[in-house]
Amino acid sequence: MEARGFSFPRQRQVLFLFVFWGVSLAGSGFGRYSVMEEAERGSFVVNLAKDLGLAVGELAARGTRVVSDDNEQYLLLDSRTGNLLTNEKLDREQLCGSTEPCILYFQILMDDPFQIYRAELRVRDINDHSPVFRDKEIVLKISENTAEGTAFRLERAQDPDGGLNSIHNYTISPNSFFHIKISGSDEGVIYPELVLDKALDREEQGELSLTLTALDGGSPPRSGTSTVHIVVLDVNDNAPQFTQALYETQAPENSPVGSLIIKVSAGDVDLGVNAEVAYSFFDASEDILTTFQINPFSGEIFLRELLDYELVHSYKINIQAMDSGGLSARCTVLVEVLDTNDNPPELIISSLSNSVAENSPGMVFAVFKIKDRDSGENGKMVCYIQDNLPFFLKPSVDNFYILMTEGALDRESQAEYNITITVTDLGTPRLKTEHSITLQVSDINDNVPAFTQSSYTLFVRENNSPALHIGSVSATDRDSGTNAQVTYSLLPPQDPHLPLASLVSINADNGHLFALRSLDYEALQAFEFRVGATDRGSPALSSEALVRVLVLDANDNSPFVLYPLQNGSAPCTELVPRAAEPGYLVTKVVAVDGDSGQNAWLSFQLLKATEPGLFGVWAHNGEVRTARLLSERDAAKHRLLVLVKDNGEPPRSATATLHVLLVDGFSQPYLPLPEAAPAQAQADSLTVYLVVALASVSSLFLFSVLLFVAVRLCRRSRAASVGGCSVPEGPFPGHLMDVSGTGTLSQSYQYEVCLMRDSETREFKFLKPIIPHLQPQSCEKEIEETPTLQNSFGFNY
């Protein structure tokens, strides 16, 4: 007693002890009485004098009175008769709610001598309430693909009566689809379940209305009804799912109205309106509906009125989540009402380290002690940290705890931990103290540098300037500090013939790559090498990546003409017959370009010609063709200048000079190319034989004609006067016709032509070749007319 700050004389302490002991002995008796509810005021309960073995007048003499626990005067003692009577009508449902049995506790006090008798009065239930459904109509949406035998739990009816007078059975109106099954709960309450007997077909019957009847066990029984309206839905194959089937929470009895108790959450994997979930209470009693409210959209449960631990210790709330398709899920929320506990636990840190090296299992970094100034259950404590942390608490003596690493930490996965140490007492309500510790994980070199790519492709245009930045490689290291500092280097090439050291260099600090010299696409189009990345840890770790450099072509080569040759030698002359049709192929300019891509795309253009409009060049293939018919007025010799241009930027070009000779015919037959002649001769041997035979016959005929002409001329010459052949008068500029050898003829020939003056047929007087540089003979006869002459080779004179 002194320890609690009280100071009594020792005599008073002894007196108090004896009085307390006597009262306790007197209160050991316990009387149990009962009365029916709704009994009229003054109804007889028991004769206390007889029950206690006292005379009738002794109750009044000793000052006997009846005191109730809740200060309500439910009972009245008649001191004259010793009868204990009801002071008012007792309503069991109002006094005890659903609690059964309904017990009212009271005490019988006597003053002289002081004595206390403990007693209880049981209020027996009568069947004075009918079952009542909270909703007169229950709407139940059932998918048409619901399997037979599926049970749908319905909201039960409420009956304030207890015991036999409570609800004992449920029935459903006759139908071919459903029957009622009764199921019970842990609290002894029965629930109706609607069981599907036959598969539903929305197209056949979209809605059903059934009558659900609840019957109590009274005599006679009372009943209540509700209409079950069933809506058959199309397939909605995913019902909402709660994240937990059971939610547990605690709420102090002094929680303010409107405070958040808990939030339930359900998800639906369907899409659209079928995924919209609405929350509501399911099969909730009137007590739950008046105490709590739920947000139908968020699932948050709020306090609607003050809690009272003395009245209700806990609540079991059934929550339903229903999507717009009619599918639903249910969960249970247990709310524990906590009594007041005014001393929270205390946490005292003895030693603390804010840093620990990674990969160090079993390392102690905090030692602390917990205590609570309360006693009993309120002084008992539980200490814990969050789940899913690589740490654990090890209890020691005198409420000391050691906080240590459970396994090897990885700084790269998580460099910092916020550890919350929670100390909770076991009082009612439970109070707790939280202490947060921020722990830094120090780094060790356990990660190799990692390139952003396993291979890099870089592009550089040829003819680049030396020391040109052509690209970069990059590697990162998940470590920190010097362990994460990366240096870059070129690795020895796999190809020993590749002069890598003279081609590229790398900046060791940032991975920038530079071309050391100008690159030539025509000499080197691509090359590859490997680069390494090494950190500065101890020991150092490294990795490598492949770099491929592609040299892009630049237009640095002009077109080169392969044909005709432009090397300054004797020009090649192309022969074109004057009888050629428009579009006749004269020749083809062939050119190449050392570049690639569009830089090597060539186009041809006639830049200059002796006679514009006579020849044309096809732009894409270089073919030179006649543009129109040839005439006698066209010059015999032509010079063409063809421009060959590539498609580069800027474009490069070259020119080709062509010499074209217009001839009236060809003096030699077309001979195939040397490489083609054997094949042609082999393929056309019969044709060759025919040509040879025809040539022989023609030669023999020509020889006969010449011999005949020569004989006649000689005979006439004898008859005429011997002399030179005079130059005939007429339009001929001379007596000689010159056929130059610049065309297909291999030699130059001159012919002397004379006609008979009196000849009606205008025959040749003679036709013979004259060797160059010799004086021609004169014609004997005078030519009166100047007809068109044609020799045997087809040339016109």
Side-chain angles (χ1 to χ4, degrees):
M1 299 294 287
E2 293 177 358
R4 296 182 177 271
F6 298 97
S7 58
F8 292 100
R10 184 170 300 275
Q11 294 83 356
R12 295 181 62 184
Q13 294 180 14
V14 174
L15 179 61
F16 179 82
L17 181 61
F18 276 100
V19 170
F20 182 80
W21 178 66
V23 172
S24 299
L25 290 178
S28 60
F30 201 92
R32 291 180 174 86
Y33 312 109
S34 65
V35 66
M36 297 299 291
E37 71 167 325
E38 301 297 337
E40 294 294 331
R41 183 176 183 274
S43 297
F44 175 79
V45 176
V46 69
N47 187 287
L48 281 182
K50 184 177 179 181
D51 191 57
L52 296 177
L54 301 176
V56 175
E58 193 174 353
L59 292 178
R62 297 185 60 179
T64 305
R65 60 188 182 277
V66 177
V67 179
S68 177
D69 281 354
D70 52 4
N71 295 326
E72 295 290 339
Q73 198 64 34
Y74 300 118
L75 300 174
L76 179 64
L77 177 60
D78 187 351
S79 301
R80 296 176 301 165
T81 62
N83 291 333
L84 186 62
L85 309 174
T86 58
N87 191 35
E88 60 184 26
K89 278 187 177 182
L90 299 180
D91 188 350
R92 189 200 67 82
E93 288 74 30
Q94 183 178 357
L95 293 174
C96 299
S98 60
T99 303
E100 182 64 28
C102 180
I103 305 297
L104 301 178
Y105 297 96
F106 63 95
Q107 295 83 33
I108 302 170
L109 276 65
M110 298 181 182
D111 293 335
D112 188 18
F114 183 79
Q115 199 169 10
I116 298 176
Y117 289 93
R118 298 170 60 197
E120 63 180 33
L121 176 65
R122 178 177 179 180
V123 182
R124 297 189 178 276
D125 184 53
I126 64 173
N127 194 19
D128 57 344
H129 293 88
S130 296
V132 176
F133 287 94
R134 185 165 64 91
D135 297 322
K136 292 299 181 182
E137 183 182 49
I138 301 173
V139 178
L140 191 61
K141 297 180 180 180
I142 302 177
S143 176
E144 65 177 332
N145 65 342
T146 303
E148 295 180 5
T150 304
F152 301 91
R153 184 171 168 179
L154 304 176
E155 291 194 25
R156 64 183 177 88
Q158 303 291 333
D159 193 333
D161 295 326
L164 294 176
N165 296 323
S166 62
I167 297 175
H168 276 211
N169 194 18
Y170 290 90
T171 61
I172 195 74
S173 57
N175 66 95
S176 59
F177 290 98
F178 299 95
H179 74 272
I180 285 293
K181 183 178 75 172
I182 306 300
S183 60
S185 65
D186 297 339
E187 294 83 3
V189 180
I190 63 173
Y191 297 89
E193 290 186 351
L194 195 64
V195 181
L196 182 64
D197 296 329
K198 178 182 175 182
L200 299 173
D201 188 353
R202 188 191 65 83
E203 289 71 25
E204 181 179 342
Q205 187 171 2
E207 296 184 359
L208 293 90
S209 290
L210 306 176
T211 301
L212 177 65
T213 304
L215 299 171
D216 62 18
S219 181
R222 290 174 175 264
S223 64
T225 61
S226 177
T227 300
V228 179
H229 185 72
I230 299 173
V231 178
V232 183
L233 302 176
D234 270 333
V235 174
N236 177 26
D237 56 350
N238 288 287
Q241 294 292 329
F242 278 96
T243 56
Q244 298 174 226
L246 177 64
Y247 292 81
E248 295 180 305
T249 186
Q250 297 174 337
E253 64 176 340
N254 57 354
S255 299
V257 173
S259 60
L260 176 64
I261 300 299
I262 197 172
K263 178 180 179 181
V264 297
S265 177
D268 195 327
V269 297
D270 289 326
L271 299 176
V273 295
N274 290 332
E276 298 175 0
V277 177
Y279 301 92
S280 63
F281 292 124
F282 180 80
D283 195 23
S285 64
E286 193 67 29
D287 192 19
I288 291 176
L289 294 176
T290 56
T291 307
F292 302 95
Q293 64 180 7
I294 187 169
N295 188 317
F297 305 105
S298 65
E300 296 175 327
I301 300 176
F302 297 91
L303 193 61
R304 192 171 185 178
E305 69 176 16
L306 291 175
L307 302 174
D308 189 355
Y309 175 80
E310 285 72 24
L311 185 61
V312 180
H313 296 323
S314 64
Y315 294 89
K316 183 178 180 180
I317 308 173
N318 295 319
I319 305 297
Q320 175 176 269
M322 179 176 292
D323 60 19
S324 58
L327 299 182
S328 62
R330 299 178 184 89
C331 72
T332 301
V333 177
L334 294 180
V335 180
E336 181 182 2
V337 182
L338 302 179
D339 203 359
T340 302
N341 181 25
D342 57 352
N343 286 298
E346 298 178 18
L347 189 147
I348 303 171
I349 298 292
S350 298
S351 64
L352 176 64
S353 175
N354 293 323
S355 177
V356 62
E358 63 176 330
N359 298 332
S360 301
M363 184 174 181
V364 177
F365 60 90
V367 178
F368 60 91
K369 181 181 180 180
I370 60 174
K371 68 175 184 178
D372 195 313
R373 291 180 295 172
D374 294 324
S375 61
E377 291 296 318
N378 294 333
K380 294 180 181 180
M381 295 166 291
V382 176
C383 183
Y384 58 90
I385 60 175
Q386 309 103 296
D387 295 332
N388 302 322
L389 289 179
F391 310 105
F392 71 95
L393 282 173
K394 182 179 180 181
S396 184
V397 297
D398 294 336
N399 287 333
F400 275 92
Y401 282 84
I402 299 173
L403 185 58
M404 56 195 308
T405 58
E406 185 175 18
L409 303 180
D410 185 8
R411 188 205 64 83
E412 289 71 36
S413 298
Q414 188 167 351
E416 181 181 286
Y417 290 91
N418 290 320
I419 307 169
T420 301
I421 304 173
T422 304
V423 184
T424 305
D425 62 22
L426 302 180
T428 304
R430 293 190 175 186
L431 299 182
K432 64 180 180 179
T433 296
E434 294 182 346
H435 185 83
S436 296
I437 297 175
T438 300
L439 181 67
Q440 303 290 338
V441 182
S442 59
D443 184 56
I444 64 173
N445 192 25
D446 58 346
N447 288 278
V448 299
F451 280 94
T452 56
Q453 301 173 216
S454 60
S455 63
Y456 296 82
T457 301
L458 307 180
F459 299 90
V460 57
R461 190 167 295 278
E462 67 172 331
N463 304 322
N464 59 286
S465 58
L468 175 69
H469 177 241
I470 61 175
S472 302
V473 295
S474 178
T476 58
D477 196 311
R478 296 179 61 197
D479 296 320
S480 63
T482 57
N483 295 331
Q485 296 177 4
V486 179
T487 57
Y488 303 90
S489 62
L490 297 178
L491 300 179
Q494 297 179 353
D495 184 3
H497 302 291
L498 179 66
L500 183 62
S502 63
L503 290 176
V504 294
S505 67
I506 189 169
N507 188 312
D509 296 327
N510 53 28
H512 291 177
L513 291 166
F514 300 89
L516 296 179
R517 61 180 174 86
S518 179
L519 300 177
D520 185 5
Y521 173 82
E522 289 71 32
L524 181 63
Q525 297 182 0
F527 61 94
E528 61 183 26
F529 55 92
R530 305 190 74 83
V531 295
T534 306
D535 61 24
R536 296 184 181 178
S538 180
L541 302 177
S542 63
S543 62
E544 60 183 46
L546 179 67
V547 179
R548 180 175 177 83
V549 179
L550 300 180
V551 182
L552 302 178
D553 182 50
N555 193 23
D556 57 347
N557 289 283
S558 298
F560 179 76
V561 179
L562 297 178
Y563 181 84
L565 295 177
Q566 305 292 313
N567 54 3
S569 62
C572 179
T573 303
E574 307 293 338
L575 301 181
V576 178
R578 290 184 180 270
E581 295 293 329
Y584 175 82
L585 177 63
V586 178
T587 186
K588 182 176 181 178
V589 178
V590 181
V592 294
D593 196 308
D595 296 318
S596 65
Q598 66 177 11
N599 295 329
W601 297 350
L602 300 181
S603 61
F604 301 85
Q605 178 184 354
L606 183 60
L607 190 64
K608 187 176 180 182
T610 302
E611 185 173 346
L614 182 57
F615 299 97
V617 177
W618 287 27
H620 300 297
N621 57 15
E623 293 181 351
V624 180
R625 296 180 180 267
T626 57
R628 60 175 174 83
L629 286 172
L630 305 178
S631 67
E632 293 292 336
R633 292 191 300 271
D634 293 329
K637 297 181 180 180
H638 292 266
R639 182 176 179 270
L640 307 180
L641 185 62
V642 178
L643 176 67
V644 184
K645 183 173 63 174
D646 61 25
N647 199 39
E649 185 63 36
R652 291 177 174 268
S653 61
T655 58
T657 302
L658 302 177
H659 296 273
V660 180
L661 178 63
L662 304 183
V663 295
D664 292 327
F666 294 98
S667 62
Q668 296 180 5
Y670 171 75
L671 297 178
L673 295 176
E675 59 271 18
Q680 183 178 358
Q682 183 178 2
D684 303 326
S685 58
L686 180 60
T687 305
V688 172
Y689 296 148
L690 292 176
V691 171
V692 170
L694 182 61
S696 300
V697 173
S698 300
S699 300
L700 183 60
F701 175 77
L702 179 61
F703 178 78
S704 300
V705 172
L706 291 177
L707 182 60
F708 175 77
V709 173
V711 171
R712 292 193 62 180
L713 288 176
C714 288
R715 289 177 181 178
R716 291 182 182 182
S717 63
R718 293 192 189 100
S721 61
V722 179
C725 190
S726 62
V727 179
E729 298 179 356
F732 291 98
H735 66 284
L736 299 178
M737 297 301 293
D738 181 27
V739 180
S740 177
T742 58
T744 58
L745 300 178
S746 60
Q747 299 179 358
S748 298
Y749 296 88
Q750 290 181 337
Y751 298 89
E752 183 179 9
V753 181
C754 292
L755 297 177
M756 295 296 294
R757 180 182 296 238
D758 298 329
S759 174
E760 292 294 329
T761 62
R762 295 176 178 86
E763 296 178 346
F764 286 107
K765 181 181 179 182
F766 63 88
L767 177 60
K768 62 180 179 179
I770 300 177
I771 299 177
H773 308 297
L774 297 180
Q775 293 294 330
Q777 298 180 358
S778 301
C779 294
E780 293 181 353
K781 300 294 180 179
E782 183 179 355
I783 302 174
E784 295 180 354
E785 296 179 1
T786 58
T788 302
L789 302 180
Q790 185 176 23
N791 64 3
S792 62
F793 293 95
F795 290 93
N796 294 327
Y797 300 92

